[in-house]
Amino acid sequence: MYNSTMRTAPGRMLIATLGCVIMSIGINVFTTPLNLYTTGLMGYSQLIRSVLAEDFGIVFAHIDLAGILYYVLSIPVFLITFRSLGRDFFLRTVAFALVFSATTALIPVPAVPIIEDPLTCVVVGGICVGAGDAMVLTCGCTVGGLDMLAMHLAKKRGMQVGRFTILANILLFLLCFFRYDFSVVLYSIIYMV
């Protein structure tokens, strides 16, 4: 059944959508209740959301602001990468970044972790995000973010995709380190791995 679904464009889009939902569940249900951060542009979105909530009291009931911030922060990336990544790939990315943003904004974040052991939450969340992202990528799509910018820089400047994303994530975790205790950073790094 999976193979026949992957042979059609609507089938691939369905599987990519399911991948976005699984990724959002991994983030919202397993890591966000622990105040941990994912990687890339979503990690930066979560950090901005936390600053807005903790320092300015800006919180939306029943909506995770990180999902909305993710799409807003993706717009400059879309504008920068439009020409270098091809029209079809670009349009699929814009669409699935929207699906990922919406599912992340709308899937409820539990008030307390559903699993008490942080390491188990990190591992389960990481598996969900990894599996969901693999589903999206297998369908020839992406949810955008820093990966898109890294691919653009690789084409235009010869920078390695992995090197760019690692440097961006190191910066994110340094910012988290200065704001939160070391365990937040450590569990977030374990989640990334």
PDB file of all heavy atoms in Angstrom, residues 102-137:
ATOM      1  N   ALA A 102       1.293  25.152  10.797  1.00  0.00           N
ATOM      2  CA  ALA A 102      -0.080  25.038  11.300  1.00  0.00           C
ATOM      3  C   ALA A 102      -0.216  23.894  12.296  1.00  0.00           C
ATOM      4  O   ALA A 102      -0.826  24.061  13.362  1.00  0.00           O
ATOM      5  CB  ALA A 102      -1.053  24.838  10.134  1.00  0.00           C
ATOM      6  N   THR A 103       0.370  22.732  11.984  1.00  0.00           N
ATOM      7  CA  THR A 103       0.247  21.612  12.911  1.00  0.00           C
ATOM      8  C   THR A 103       0.994  21.895  14.208  1.00  0.00           C
ATOM      9  O   THR A 103       0.525  21.545  15.291  1.00  0.00           O
ATOM     10  CB  THR A 103       0.731  20.287  12.281  1.00  0.00           C
ATOM     11  OG1 THR A 103       2.075  20.444  11.802  1.00  0.00           O
ATOM     12  CG2 THR A 103      -0.170  19.862  11.141  1.00  0.00           C
ATOM     13  N   THR A 104       2.130  22.567  14.113  1.00  0.00           N
ATOM     14  CA  THR A 104       2.872  22.909  15.327  1.00  0.00           C
ATOM     15  C   THR A 104       2.119  23.945  16.149  1.00  0.00           C
ATOM     16  O   THR A 104       2.122  23.888  17.377  1.00  0.00           O
ATOM     17  CB  THR A 104       4.286  23.417  14.982  1.00  0.00           C
ATOM     18  OG1 THR A 104       4.953  22.423  14.202  1.00  0.00           O
ATOM     19  CG2 THR A 104       5.099  23.680  16.233  1.00  0.00           C
ATOM     20  N   ALA A 105       1.462  24.864  15.482  1.00  0.00           N
ATOM     21  CA  ALA A 105       0.691  25.884  16.212  1.00  0.00           C
ATOM     22  C   ALA A 105      -0.554  25.287  16.855  1.00  0.00           C
ATOM     23  O   ALA A 105      -0.965  25.716  17.937  1.00  0.00           O
ATOM     24  CB  ALA A 105       0.303  27.019  15.267  1.00  0.00           C
ATOM     25  N   LEU A 106      -1.157  24.283  16.222  1.00  0.00           N
ATOM     26  CA  LEU A 106      -2.470  23.797  16.667  1.00  0.00           C
ATOM     27  C   LEU A 106      -2.451  22.535  17.522  1.00  0.00           C
ATOM     28  O   LEU A 106      -3.394  22.303  18.281  1.00  0.00           O
ATOM     29  CB  LEU A 106      -3.363  23.577  15.446  1.00  0.00           C
ATOM     30  CG  LEU A 106      -3.670  24.848  14.644  1.00  0.00           C
ATOM     31  CD1 LEU A 106      -4.452  24.517  13.384  1.00  0.00           C
ATOM     32  CD2 LEU A 106      -4.393  25.873  15.488  1.00  0.00           C
ATOM     33  N   ILE A 107      -1.423  21.713  17.415  1.00  0.00           N
ATOM     34  CA  ILE A 107      -1.371  20.520  18.275  1.00  0.00           C
ATOM     35  C   ILE A 107      -1.103  20.984  19.697  1.00  0.00           C
ATOM     36  O   ILE A 107      -0.117  21.676  19.957  1.00  0.00           O
ATOM     37  CB  ILE A 107      -0.305  19.527  17.791  1.00  0.00           C
ATOM     38  CG1 ILE A 107      -0.769  18.883  16.476  1.00  0.00           C
ATOM     39  CG2 ILE A 107      -0.023  18.454  18.853  1.00  0.00           C
ATOM     40  CD1 ILE A 107       0.213  17.961  15.833  1.00  0.00           C
ATOM     41  N   PRO A 108      -1.983  20.634  20.627  1.00  0.00           N
ATOM     42  CA  PRO A 108      -1.855  21.157  21.993  1.00  0.00           C
ATOM     43  C   PRO A 108      -0.588  20.675  22.697  1.00  0.00           C
ATOM     44  O   PRO A 108      -0.171  19.530  22.549  1.00  0.00           O
ATOM     45  CB  PRO A 108      -3.099  20.633  22.712  1.00  0.00           C
ATOM     46  CG  PRO A 108      -3.865  19.833  21.747  1.00  0.00           C
ATOM     47  CD  PRO A 108      -3.135  19.763  20.456  1.00  0.00           C
ATOM     48  N   VAL A 109      -0.006  21.596  23.451  1.00  0.00           N
ATOM     49  CA  VAL A 109       1.159  21.283  24.276  1.00  0.00           C
ATOM     50  C   VAL A 109       0.655  20.936  25.669  1.00  0.00           C
ATOM     51  O   VAL A 109      -0.014  21.752  26.304  1.00  0.00           O
ATOM     52  CB  VAL A 109       2.119  22.493  24.350  1.00  0.00           C
ATOM     53  CG1 VAL A 109       3.276  22.195  25.295  1.00  0.00           C
ATOM     54  CG2 VAL A 109       2.617  22.871  22.960  1.00  0.00           C
ATOM     55  N   PRO A 110       0.931  19.719  26.162  1.00  0.00           N
ATOM     56  CA  PRO A 110       0.485  19.366  27.513  1.00  0.00           C
ATOM     57  C   PRO A 110       1.094  20.302  28.564  1.00  0.00           C
ATOM     58  O   PRO A 110       2.234  20.745  28.418  1.00  0.00           O
ATOM     59  CB  PRO A 110       1.003  17.938  27.703  1.00  0.00           C
ATOM     60  CG  PRO A 110       1.318  17.435  26.344  1.00  0.00           C
ATOM     61  CD  PRO A 110       1.641  18.625  25.512  1.00  0.00           C
ATOM     62  N   ALA A 111       0.339  20.593  29.612  1.00  0.00           N
ATOM     63  CA  ALA A 111       0.826  21.478  30.677  1.00  0.00           C
ATOM     64  C   ALA A 111       1.993  20.841  31.427  1.00  0.00           C
ATOM     65  O   ALA A 111       2.882  21.544  31.915  1.00  0.00           O
ATOM     66  CB  ALA A 111      -0.306  21.814  31.638  1.00  0.00           C
ATOM     67  N   VAL A 112       1.981  19.530  31.512  1.00  0.00           N
ATOM     68  CA  VAL A 112       3.079  18.791  32.155  1.00  0.00           C
ATOM     69  C   VAL A 112       3.511  17.686  31.198  1.00  0.00           C
ATOM     70  O   VAL A 112       2.717  17.211  30.387  1.00  0.00           O
ATOM     71  CB  VAL A 112       2.659  18.185  33.516  1.00  0.00           C
ATOM     72  CG1 VAL A 112       2.330  19.278  34.514  1.00  0.00           C
ATOM     73  CG2 VAL A 112       1.490  17.243  33.371  1.00  0.00           C
ATOM     74  N   PRO A 113       4.771  17.276  31.278  1.00  0.00           N
ATOM     75  CA  PRO A 113       5.234  16.210  30.381  1.00  0.00           C
ATOM     76  C   PRO A 113       4.393  14.945  30.548  1.00  0.00           C
ATOM     77  O   PRO A 113       4.024  14.575  31.655  1.00  0.00           O
ATOM     78  CB  PRO A 113       6.680  15.963  30.845  1.00  0.00           C
ATOM     79  CG  PRO A 113       7.083  17.221  31.533  1.00  0.00           C
ATOM     80  CD  PRO A 113       5.836  17.784  32.145  1.00  0.00           C
ATOM     81  N   ILE A 114       4.099  14.266  29.428  1.00  0.00           N
ATOM     82  CA  ILE A 114       3.290  13.047  29.504  1.00  0.00           C
ATOM     83  C   ILE A 114       4.125  11.858  29.969  1.00  0.00           C
ATOM     84  O   ILE A 114       3.585  10.857  30.403  1.00  0.00           O
ATOM     85  CB  ILE A 114       2.590  12.737  28.171  1.00  0.00           C
ATOM     86  CG1 ILE A 114       3.591  12.464  27.059  1.00  0.00           C
ATOM     87  CG2 ILE A 114       1.651  13.851  27.779  1.00  0.00           C
ATOM     88  CD1 ILE A 114       2.961  11.917  25.804  1.00  0.00           C
ATOM     89  N   ILE A 115       5.439  11.979  29.864  1.00  0.00           N
ATOM     90  CA  ILE A 115       6.362  10.979  30.394  1.00  0.00           C
ATOM     91  C   ILE A 115       7.283  11.729  31.356  1.00  0.00           C
ATOM     92  O   ILE A 115       7.865  12.752  30.995  1.00  0.00           O
ATOM     93  CB  ILE A 115       7.183  10.309  29.275  1.00  0.00           C
ATOM     94  CG1 ILE A 115       6.261   9.625  28.257  1.00  0.00           C
ATOM     95  CG2 ILE A 115       8.181   9.315  29.849  1.00  0.00           C
ATOM     96  CD1 ILE A 115       6.969   9.120  27.014  1.00  0.00           C
ATOM     97  N   GLU A 116       7.419  11.230  32.563  1.00  0.00           N
ATOM     98  CA  GLU A 116       8.176  11.963  33.576  1.00  0.00           C
ATOM     99  C   GLU A 116       9.676  11.975  33.335  1.00  0.00           C
ATOM    100  O   GLU A 116      10.354  12.925  33.707  1.00  0.00           O
ATOM    101  CB  GLU A 116       7.860  11.404  34.962  1.00  0.00           C
ATOM    102  CG  GLU A 116       6.460  11.745  35.395  1.00  0.00           C
ATOM    103  CD  GLU A 116       6.243  11.508  36.868  1.00  0.00           C
ATOM    104  OE1 GLU A 116       7.214  11.496  37.643  1.00  0.00           O
ATOM    105  OE2 GLU A 116       5.070  11.341  37.240  1.00  0.00           O
ATOM    106  N   ASP A 117      10.213  10.940  32.728  1.00  0.00           N
ATOM    107  CA  ASP A 117      11.655  10.866  32.502  1.00  0.00           C
ATOM    108  C   ASP A 117      12.044  11.742  31.307  1.00  0.00           C
ATOM    109  O   ASP A 117      11.621  11.476  30.167  1.00  0.00           O
ATOM    110  CB  ASP A 117      12.065   9.414  32.247  1.00  0.00           C
ATOM    111  CG  ASP A 117      13.545   9.278  31.961  1.00  0.00           C
ATOM    112  OD1 ASP A 117      14.346   9.956  32.633  1.00  0.00           O
ATOM    113  OD2 ASP A 117      13.904   8.487  31.062  1.00  0.00           O
ATOM    114  N   PRO A 118      12.851  12.791  31.524  1.00  0.00           N
ATOM    115  CA  PRO A 118      13.220  13.684  30.419  1.00  0.00           C
ATOM    116  C   PRO A 118      13.951  12.977  29.283  1.00  0.00           C
ATOM    117  O   PRO A 118      13.715  13.285  28.117  1.00  0.00           O
ATOM    118  CB  PRO A 118      14.122  14.734  31.078  1.00  0.00           C
ATOM    119  CG  PRO A 118      13.895  14.631  32.531  1.00  0.00           C
ATOM    120  CD  PRO A 118      13.409  13.246  32.801  1.00  0.00           C
ATOM    121  N   LEU A 119      14.823  12.044  29.621  1.00  0.00           N
ATOM    122  CA  LEU A 119      15.575  11.358  28.570  1.00  0.00           C
ATOM    123  C   LEU A 119      14.648  10.559  27.658  1.00  0.00           C
ATOM    124  O   LEU A 119      14.803  10.569  26.431  1.00  0.00           O
ATOM    125  CB  LEU A 119      16.639  10.447  29.186  1.00  0.00           C
ATOM    126  CG  LEU A 119      17.606   9.801  28.202  1.00  0.00           C
ATOM    127  CD1 LEU A 119      18.323  10.851  27.369  1.00  0.00           C
ATOM    128  CD2 LEU A 119      18.614   8.941  28.941  1.00  0.00           C
ATOM    129  N   THR A 120      13.642   9.912  28.230  1.00  0.00           N
ATOM    130  CA  THR A 120      12.676   9.167  27.419  1.00  0.00           C
ATOM    131  C   THR A 120      11.898  10.118  26.519  1.00  0.00           C
ATOM    132  O   THR A 120      11.690   9.824  25.336  1.00  0.00           O
ATOM    133  CB  THR A 120      11.716   8.372  28.324  1.00  0.00           C
ATOM    134  OG1 THR A 120      12.486   7.504  29.163  1.00  0.00           O
ATOM    135  CG2 THR A 120      10.747   7.542  27.505  1.00  0.00           C
ATOM    136  N   CYS A 121      11.470  11.248  27.057  1.00  0.00           N
ATOM    137  CA  CYS A 121      10.762  12.248  26.237  1.00  0.00           C
ATOM    138  C   CYS A 121      11.626  12.719  25.080  1.00  0.00           C
ATOM    139  O   CYS A 121      11.150  12.844  23.947  1.00  0.00           O
ATOM    140  CB  CYS A 121      10.355  13.450  27.090  1.00  0.00           C
ATOM    141  SG  CYS A 121       8.869  13.206  28.036  1.00  0.00           S
ATOM    142  N   VAL A 122      12.895  12.974  25.363  1.00  0.00           N
ATOM    143  CA  VAL A 122      13.812  13.449  24.332  1.00  0.00           C
ATOM    144  C   VAL A 122      13.977  12.400  23.236  1.00  0.00           C
ATOM    145  O   VAL A 122      13.939  12.710  22.041  1.00  0.00           O
ATOM    146  CB  VAL A 122      15.174  13.823  24.969  1.00  0.00           C
ATOM    147  CG1 VAL A 122      16.246  13.998  23.928  1.00  0.00           C
ATOM    148  CG2 VAL A 122      15.028  15.075  25.808  1.00  0.00           C
ATOM    149  N   VAL A 123      14.147  11.147  23.632  1.00  0.00           N
ATOM    150  CA  VAL A 123      14.339  10.077  22.650  1.00  0.00           C
ATOM    151  C   VAL A 123      13.073   9.878  21.815  1.00  0.00           C
ATOM    152  O   VAL A 123      13.144   9.818  20.580  1.00  0.00           O
ATOM    153  CB  VAL A 123      14.772   8.763  23.347  1.00  0.00           C
ATOM    154  CG1 VAL A 123      14.730   7.588  22.380  1.00  0.00           C
ATOM    155  CG2 VAL A 123      16.166   8.912  23.937  1.00  0.00           C
ATOM    156  N   VAL A 124      11.907   9.810  22.461  1.00  0.00           N
ATOM    157  CA  VAL A 124      10.660   9.614  21.724  1.00  0.00           C
ATOM    158  C   VAL A 124      10.388  10.815  20.808  1.00  0.00           C
ATOM    159  O   VAL A 124      10.014  10.651  19.639  1.00  0.00           O
ATOM    160  CB  VAL A 124       9.476   9.360  22.691  1.00  0.00           C
ATOM    161  CG1 VAL A 124       8.154   9.332  21.937  1.00  0.00           C
ATOM    162  CG2 VAL A 124       9.673   8.053  23.435  1.00  0.00           C
ATOM    163  N   GLY A 125      10.602  12.031  21.325  1.00  0.00           N
ATOM    164  CA  GLY A 125      10.417  13.223  20.495  1.00  0.00           C
ATOM    165  C   GLY A 125      11.356  13.230  19.305  1.00  0.00           C
ATOM    166  O   GLY A 125      10.957  13.545  18.179  1.00  0.00           O
ATOM    167  N   GLY A 126      12.612  12.860  19.534  1.00  0.00           N
ATOM    168  CA  GLY A 126      13.585  12.807  18.441  1.00  0.00           C
ATOM    169  C   GLY A 126      13.223  11.778  17.384  1.00  0.00           C
ATOM    170  O   GLY A 126      13.373  12.015  16.190  1.00  0.00           O
ATOM    171  N   ILE A 127      12.714  10.627  17.819  1.00  0.00           N
ATOM    172  CA  ILE A 127      12.289   9.586  16.873  1.00  0.00           C
ATOM    173  C   ILE A 127      11.111  10.092  16.040  1.00  0.00           C
ATOM    174  O   ILE A 127      11.073   9.905  14.825  1.00  0.00           O
ATOM    175  CB  ILE A 127      11.941   8.282  17.619  1.00  0.00           C
ATOM    176  CG1 ILE A 127      13.215   7.639  18.165  1.00  0.00           C
ATOM    177  CG2 ILE A 127      11.182   7.313  16.716  1.00  0.00           C
ATOM    178  CD1 ILE A 127      12.976   6.478  19.109  1.00  0.00           C
ATOM    179  N   CYS A 128      10.155  10.745  16.695  1.00  0.00           N
ATOM    180  CA  CYS A 128       8.990  11.282  15.957  1.00  0.00           C
ATOM    181  C   CYS A 128       9.428  12.311  14.920  1.00  0.00           C
ATOM    182  O   CYS A 128       9.005  12.257  13.757  1.00  0.00           O
ATOM    183  CB  CYS A 128       8.002  11.931  16.920  1.00  0.00           C
ATOM    184  SG  CYS A 128       7.082  10.780  17.937  1.00  0.00           S
ATOM    185  N   VAL A 129      10.281  13.237  15.328  1.00  0.00           N
ATOM    186  CA  VAL A 129      10.714  14.276  14.395  1.00  0.00           C
ATOM    187  C   VAL A 129      11.556  13.672  13.275  1.00  0.00           C
ATOM    188  O   VAL A 129      11.382  14.022  12.104  1.00  0.00           O
ATOM    189  CB  VAL A 129      11.470  15.400  15.139  1.00  0.00           C
ATOM    190  CG1 VAL A 129      12.111  16.372  14.165  1.00  0.00           C
ATOM    191  CG2 VAL A 129      10.521  16.141  16.070  1.00  0.00           C
ATOM    192  N   GLY A 130      12.439  12.750  13.610  1.00  0.00           N
ATOM    193  CA  GLY A 130      13.256  12.109  12.578  1.00  0.00           C
ATOM    194  C   GLY A 130      12.416  11.323  11.582  1.00  0.00           C
ATOM    195  O   GLY A 130      12.612  11.416  10.369  1.00  0.00           O
ATOM    196  N   ALA A 131      11.463  10.546  12.093  1.00  0.00           N
ATOM    197  CA  ALA A 131      10.598   9.754  11.204  1.00  0.00           C
ATOM    198  C   ALA A 131       9.712  10.660  10.352  1.00  0.00           C
ATOM    199  O   ALA A 131       9.560  10.441   9.145  1.00  0.00           O
ATOM    200  CB  ALA A 131       9.736   8.799  12.027  1.00  0.00           C
ATOM    201  N   GLY A 132       9.123  11.676  10.977  1.00  0.00           N
ATOM    202  CA  GLY A 132       8.270  12.601  10.232  1.00  0.00           C
ATOM    203  C   GLY A 132       9.037  13.347   9.158  1.00  0.00           C
ATOM    204  O   GLY A 132       8.572  13.487   8.019  1.00  0.00           O
ATOM    205  N   ASP A 133      10.228  13.818   9.505  1.00  0.00           N
ATOM    206  CA  ASP A 133      11.052  14.541   8.539  1.00  0.00           C
ATOM    207  C   ASP A 133      11.464  13.616   7.394  1.00  0.00           C
ATOM    208  O   ASP A 133      11.469  14.017   6.229  1.00  0.00           O
ATOM    209  CB  ASP A 133      12.275  15.120   9.236  1.00  0.00           C
ATOM    210  CG  ASP A 133      12.931  16.244   8.440  1.00  0.00           C
ATOM    211  OD1 ASP A 133      12.251  16.869   7.592  1.00  0.00           O
ATOM    212  OD2 ASP A 133      14.122  16.505   8.675  1.00  0.00           O
ATOM    213  N   ALA A 134      11.781  12.373   7.707  1.00  0.00           N
ATOM    214  CA  ALA A 134      12.129  11.406   6.660  1.00  0.00           C
ATOM    215  C   ALA A 134      10.958  11.182   5.716  1.00  0.00           C
ATOM    216  O   ALA A 134      11.142  11.072   4.499  1.00  0.00           O
ATOM    217  CB  ALA A 134      12.573  10.088   7.291  1.00  0.00           C
ATOM    218  N   MET A 135       9.744  11.130   6.260  1.00  0.00           N
ATOM    219  CA  MET A 135       8.558  10.962   5.412  1.00  0.00           C
ATOM    220  C   MET A 135       8.406  12.145   4.462  1.00  0.00           C
ATOM    221  O   MET A 135       8.128  11.973   3.274  1.00  0.00           O
ATOM    222  CB  MET A 135       7.305  10.818   6.283  1.00  0.00           C
ATOM    223  CG  MET A 135       7.253   9.520   7.060  1.00  0.00           C
ATOM    224  SD  MET A 135       5.939   9.504   8.298  1.00  0.00           S
ATOM    225  CE  MET A 135       4.486   9.349   7.238  1.00  0.00           C
ATOM    226  N   VAL A 136       8.604  13.347   4.983  1.00  0.00           N
ATOM    227  CA  VAL A 136       8.477  14.557   4.158  1.00  0.00           C
ATOM    228  C   VAL A 136       9.554  14.553   3.069  1.00  0.00           C
ATOM    229  O   VAL A 136       9.264  14.780   1.886  1.00  0.00           O
ATOM    230  CB  VAL A 136       8.566  15.827   5.032  1.00  0.00           C
ATOM    231  CG1 VAL A 136       8.623  17.077   4.175  1.00  0.00           C
ATOM    232  CG2 VAL A 136       7.388  15.899   5.999  1.00  0.00           C
ATOM    233  N   LEU A 137      10.796  14.277   3.449  1.00  0.00           N
ATOM    234  CA  LEU A 137      11.898  14.290   2.484  1.00  0.00           C
ATOM    235  C   LEU A 137      11.763  13.192   1.436  1.00  0.00           C
ATOM    236  O   LEU A 137      12.060  13.408   0.262  1.00  0.00           O
ATOM    237  CB  LEU A 137      13.238  14.160   3.216  1.00  0.00           C
ATOM    238  CG  LEU A 137      13.638  15.359   4.073  1.00  0.00           C
ATOM    239  CD1 LEU A 137      14.863  15.021   4.916  1.00  0.00           C
ATOM    240  CD2 LEU A 137      13.875  16.590   3.230  1.00  0.00           C
TER     241      LEU A 137
END
